[in-house]
Structure formats: structure tokens, C-alpha cells
Amino acid sequence: MGDHKEQPLRVGAAVRRRRRALELTLAVVSARSGLSVPFLSQIENDRARPSTSSLEKVADALRTTAVELLAAADPACSVDVVRGDGSEPLSRPRSRSLVRGHHQMHASEFTGDHDAGREFQYRNDQLMYVADGAVEIEAEGRAYCLGRGDTLYLTGGVRHRWRAAESDTRVIVVAVAEHIEAVRDRPRR
């Protein structure tokens, strides 16, 4: 249970990502594929499952193949368990993804130290949670020391760098995925 191989694929998100990457509107894909805009919208929102023929038409319109769209598809599961591997000591530096697939949220676990000189800047917001140990974070010209149980929230675009202050440090980073256009509400005029 919870294994992606047991779940059907949702191709809609892969179609949408490809269309947006090419900066195409649904109307342009409709004209190229011969499929209606409402049907394409239903495909993108996983409210309709395209036939093989329709998926090939969409793929041609997006200058790719049906096989590539299916390979980029998300599993249609709402629950997925990512098990930890308790065999490795915490002091060994490593990172692992806590969320499989291409979703609106990304989460990673960092154990031990990493390249403290590396500067990060993400387009969308993120939250850092210190599960064990301690970290030193530099963001917007200020230094922050965080211990076990502390969190740091960074809005999108903030440049930062961090390092483990203790050898057994474990940090969880949760962020809005890069492919999501998370924009703050703008004041209406």
C-alpha cells in the first residue's frame, strides 16, 4: 500500500507543465491538436482521462511524445509513505527527499553538515525545521542560531546559507515547489 506502482498515473499535471514550459495557451494547443479547449482543461485538471489517440494528439501539439508525458505523470495517490533508513549514522552528511513525485510541495531532510558556503535562493517560500542538533543560518544580513525544535520561515527570493553547528544535526526543509507560481496577493487598484 502507498506504493506508486499500485496507483494509476495522472497525466494532467505533466501536460500542464509542458504547455506552460512552452508558454502556450490552451487555445493554441487546441488548434494544434484538434481537441477542444474544455476537454484539454479537463485533461490538465485530471477530470478526464485521454484515450491513447487523444494523448498522442496532445503530445504532438506540445512537441513531445505520449511516452514522455506518461513518464512525467504523477501517480494518482493521495497518501504515500516514504520510509526512513535507520541504518546510517546521523553524523554522515546526506540529504533525502521526503516527498516523491512532482507535487506542489517539496520536502527534504538534511543530516550532518553540508557546504556551508553555498548560498540558496528559492523562488517560493520555505520553512526550515531543526529536528536534531543545531544550525547557524545567515539570511538578509542577519545570523540566526536555531536549536532542536526551532523553525525559520523564509519568503521566496530571500538569499540564505546555513551550516550544521553540531555533528548530529538533522534539518527538515519544506518548500512550495519551484514549478508552482506562488505570488502574493497584489493590492487592487
Side-chain angles (χ1 to χ4, degrees), residues 85 88-96 108-114 131-132 162 164 166-172:
D85 180 10
E88 293 189 40
L90 284 179
S91 60
R92 181 174 169 235
R94 70 180 176 112
S95 67
R96 71 182 182 107
S108 297
E109 175 187 58
F110 297 91
T111 304
D113 211 350
H114 72 284
D132 289 305
W162 65 275
E166 297 176 8
S167 62
D168 62 346
T169 295
R170 195 164 49 103
V171 177
I172 309 297

Side-chain angles (χ1 to χ4, degrees), residues 5 10 20 27 33 87 92 130 137 147 149 161 172 186:
K5 293 175 184 145
R10 296 181 312 183
R20 287 181 177 170
S33 67
S87 64
R92 181 174 169 235
V130 181
I137 302 170
R161 68 182 88 226
I172 309 297
R186 300 178 204 279

Side-chain angles (χ1 to χ4, degrees), residues 120-139:
F120 298 92
Q121 181 181 25
Y122 297 100
R123 183 172 82 176
N124 294 324
D125 297 358
Q126 74 173 24
L127 176 81
M128 296 178 76
Y129 170 75
V130 181
D132 289 305
V135 297
E136 294 174 357
I137 302 170
E138 183 184 315

